[in-house]
Amino acid sequence: MEPGIVTRFAPSPTGALHPGNARTALFSFLLARSAGGRFILRVEDTDRARGRDDFIAAQQADLAWLGIAWDAGPDRNDGRGPYRQSERGAVYEGLYERLEREGHAYPCYCTPAELDMARRSQLAAGEPPRYPGTCRKLDAAARAERVAAGRRPGLRFAIPGPEIVRFDDLVRGPQAVDASTLGDFLVRRADGGAVFFFCNAVDDALMGVSQVLRGDDHLSNTPRQLLLLRALGLRAPRYGHLPLLLDASGAPQSKRRGSVTIAELREQGYLASAVSNYLLRLGHHGAPDEWVEPAEFAKHFHADKLGRAPAHFDPVQLAHWQREAVRRLDGDAAAAWLAPVFPGNWPANRRADAARLLLGNVLLPRDAREWLAVLDGELGPLAADARSAIVEAGPEFFSAALVSFAEAGADLKALAAGLGKRTGRKGAALYRPLRFALTGRHDGPELAALLAAIPQPLVRERLAGAARLGGN
RNA sequence: GCUCCCAUCGUCUAGAGGCCUAGGACACAGCCCUCUCAAGGCUGGUACGAGGGUUCGAAUCCCUCUGGGAGCGCCA
């Protein structure tokens, strides 16, 4: 019985999710969805020193926010779990035993200091630093001696004799690696903990994962996992290695360099659909140039259209998708999006009106903040362009505006008609000074909508102020 | 150090020997539209890292170099 496509995302809870991780997760999720398969989430928390539970929750929140939904995971066992590696010790125990019994692994008593020394001398001799095989040929007596000395062994996988390991990478195509260049690697630490190469590969197999999309950095390690799985008689997934995501500057993304996290993007007000639309096109050319609704993503994801060259995370491109996403917000969603910047005492309908009004001129909620002053506050000192436009129009223009406003109210069309009749101005000559007097700035939404949104006493105040200014 | 991966406009990319005087999107510039900004329409500039081959013909194949990245961990 063919279970179909199963993919997974397997983060270790050692930090916040970055765009690179998120993109790998998204692609894996879409790979499964596009084939009607299943997507699972596995937490690789074998490093109890660096892992933190709050990161697990944070990562899951980020994934959920991006619309990446897992069919099975730590919170959702389907019988093949548990999905936290820290809870899978019993599963691993049996495998360690088998590996050792069948001669695929051996206890290693080397200390970190000894290993480090070996590495240094290999490096100095111009050789790749590999485990020298010290404990591989230890006899029973030698082992007993080390145990008696109080040494606790790790378990090391024995790379079999010379051979060429071949696999067909989902994105790189056929690969061939000489196994003799591989050193015996640890599968269990001296403290009993599982090591990545081991638990990662084993869990994929045990959980029925059929395709693995992961970072480029795992490409050269793949043969180890293939050899290990074969020794265990487990079926290996098909691997696909995605190029790493770089910063705009071209450097690898890293916490140290302050690369943005998904959580930070969300806090800044980027919309999930904007981020995911952007991610969908980073190193993947299966999607059209136009906006795609997240619900349609799976239709536009094609594993054979994954790029091999590293992509840069570019805020300018993200801004484009953000603009597209903002444009698509409806009234309620827009009001909710801008809620953080609205005054707490604004009623729902005012929020919705203001949100609708501002949508075309706002990329992030913080951009709306300065518009709030225009809508209901102090304009502050006038900028040079505003001042000169107002002075140019002159005091009688604004006096006339005041009269016209008294007649027409917030109906800009009527106001402009009356003002035009009184001053002989029309078009830009009329609207420009009006806009500056009312908003203090040259850009913004339709003046008609603005006029309707600004409380009338404020309109009078600003027109009067402009009349005074023009008189000076 | 050794091994491996990658290399087209500023960015994301199309391109699997002739369809490429290299196409699209974003960004940028100009024009149109318009009360402004944005949106929309039109126009424009900008790229095959370098050098050798192979071929009638190369962005596409091969080699070298350069540049970038990764792996070689009792990190994942």
Side-chain angles (χ1 to χ4, degrees), chain A residues 212-341:
Chain A
V212 169
L213 252 27
R214 49 165 29 168
D216 222 352
D217 46 340
H218 295 301
L219 182 61
S220 10
N221 289 325
T222 301
R224 290 170 217 274
Q225 296 192 304
L226 257 12
L227 256 13
L228 172 69
L229 255 17
R230 189 182 67 190
L232 251 11
L234 293 172
R235 179 171 167 165
R238 179 97 186 271
Y239 292 102
H241 292 91
L242 265 16
L244 258 26
L245 197 56
L246 308 177
D247 274 341
S249 65
Q253 295 228 321
S254 72
K255 251 170 280 196
R256 266 186 63 83
R257 294 176 43 86
S259 300
V260 73
T261 64
I262 295 297
E264 285 163 355
L265 290 175
R266 180 178 55 221
E267 282 153 20
Q268 287 168 32
Y270 283 95
L271 266 1
S273 58
V275 175
S276 55
N277 256 278
Y278 179 45
L279 258 21
L280 177 66
R281 294 164 173 86
L282 263 187
H284 170 246
H285 56 273
D289 285 338
E290 300 76 43
W291 173 266
V292 174
E293 285 300 327
E296 308 291 308
F297 277 3
K299 242 180 249 167
H300 298 286
F301 178 79
H302 305 284
D304 60 341
K305 295 193 187 306
L306 291 169
R308 316 102 280 172
H312 300 73
F313 184 85
D314 182 2
V316 176
Q317 302 285 322
L318 209 212
H320 168 251
W321 296 110
Q322 171 74 353
R323 183 164 289 121
E324 293 289 318
V326 169
R327 283 175 62 181
R328 286 170 171 78
L329 247 23
D330 65 32
D332 288 345
W337 178 58
L338 293 177
V341 301

Side-chain angles (χ1 to χ4, degrees), chain A residues 10 12 57 74 86 94 155 168 172 237 243 258 289 307 335 378 389 393 398 401-402 428 452:
Chain A
S12 65
S86 59
L155 188 65
D168 192 14
R172 309 281 175 174
D289 285 338
E378 293 291 319
F398 292 105
L402 237 17

Side-chain angles (χ1 to χ4, degrees), chain A residues 45-70:
Chain A
D45 54 347
T46 54
D47 182 352
R48 69 262 170 275
R50 292 198 302 151
R52 275 170 37 189
D53 275 9
D54 53 333
F55 282 136
I56 297 181
Q59 290 176 344
Q60 293 188 10
D62 289 344
L63 292 173
W65 179 67
L66 285 169
I68 298 169
W70 48 100

Side-chain angles (χ1 to χ4, degrees), chain A residues 171-460:
Chain A
V171 350
R172 309 281 175 174
Q175 307 287 315
V177 176
D178 185 350
S180 65
T181 65
L182 272 22
D184 293 349
F185 59 91
L186 211 68
V187 293
R188 189 195 63 211
R189 289 192 282 255
D191 67 7
V195 176
F196 168 79
F197 286 134
F198 170 83
C199 50
N200 175 268
V202 154
D203 281 346
D204 282 339
L206 261 25
M207 292 170 181
V209 172
S210 63
Q211 352 261 114
V212 169
L213 252 27
R214 49 165 29 168
D216 222 352
D217 46 340
H218 295 301
L219 182 61
S220 10
N221 289 325
T222 301
R224 290 170 217 274
Q225 296 192 304
L226 257 12
L227 256 13
L228 172 69
L229 255 17
R230 189 182 67 190
L232 251 11
L234 293 172
R235 179 171 167 165
R238 179 97 186 271
Y239 292 102
H241 292 91
L242 265 16
L244 258 26
L245 197 56
L246 308 177
D247 274 341
S249 65
Q253 295 228 321
S254 72
K255 251 170 280 196
R256 266 186 63 83
R257 294 176 43 86
S259 300
V260 73
T261 64
I262 295 297
E264 285 163 355
L265 290 175
R266 180 178 55 221
E267 282 153 20
Q268 287 168 32
Y270 283 95
L271 266 1
S273 58
V275 175
S276 55
N277 256 278
Y278 179 45
L279 258 21
L280 177 66
R281 294 164 173 86
L282 263 187
H284 170 246
H285 56 273
D289 285 338
E290 300 76 43
W291 173 266
V292 174
E293 285 300 327
E296 308 291 308
F297 277 3
K299 242 180 249 167
H300 298 286
F301 178 79
H302 305 284
D304 60 341
K305 295 193 187 306
L306 291 169
R308 316 102 280 172
H312 300 73
F313 184 85
D314 182 2
V316 176
Q317 302 285 322
L318 209 212
H320 168 251
W321 296 110
Q322 171 74 353
R323 183 164 289 121
E324 293 289 318
V326 169
R327 283 175 62 181
R328 286 170 171 78
L329 247 23
D330 65 32
D332 288 345
W337 178 58
L338 293 177
V341 301
F342 281 148
N345 60 356
W346 278 22
N349 61 337
R350 185 162 189 199
R351 287 162 185 257
D353 288 346
R356 224 186 328 274
L357 177 71
L358 264 23
L359 226 44
N361 288 273
V362 157
L363 205 54
L364 292 172
R366 64 163 174 255
D367 302 327
R369 199 163 272 143
E370 39 195 277
W371 278 104
L372 260 20
V374 171
L375 259 29
D376 195 7
E378 293 291 319
L379 289 188
L382 285 176
D385 58 344
R387 190 177 195 89
S388 64
I390 290 170
V391 170
E392 183 277 326
E396 53 293 326
F397 174 85
F398 292 105
S399 305
L402 237 17
V403 176
S404 302
F405 179 63
E407 291 169 3
D411 180 349
L412 182 69
K413 236 176 147 172
L415 190 160
L419 184 56
K421 198 169 292 171
R422 288 186 173 86
T423 63
R425 285 178 179 246
K426 59 179 182 180
L430 184 150
Y431 285 102
R432 200 170 118 89
L434 213 46
R435 173 177 289 276
F436 271 124
L438 258 21
T439 71
R441 50 197 291 176
H442 76 283
D443 61 338
E446 295 263 333
L447 196 54
L450 242 16
L451 178 65
I454 301 172
Q456 299 209 0
L458 219 44
V459 172
R460 271 190 289 277

Side-chain angles (χ1 to χ4, degrees), chain A residues 148-181:
Chain A
R151 289 203 183 184
R152 301 198 42 199
L155 188 65
R156 205 171 274 278
F157 181 76
I159 296 286
E163 74 171 286
I164 304 294
V165 182
R166 295 175 195 284
F167 62 102
D168 192 14
D169 192 274
L170 236 21
V171 350
R172 309 281 175 174
Q175 307 287 315
V177 176
D178 185 350
S180 65
T181 65

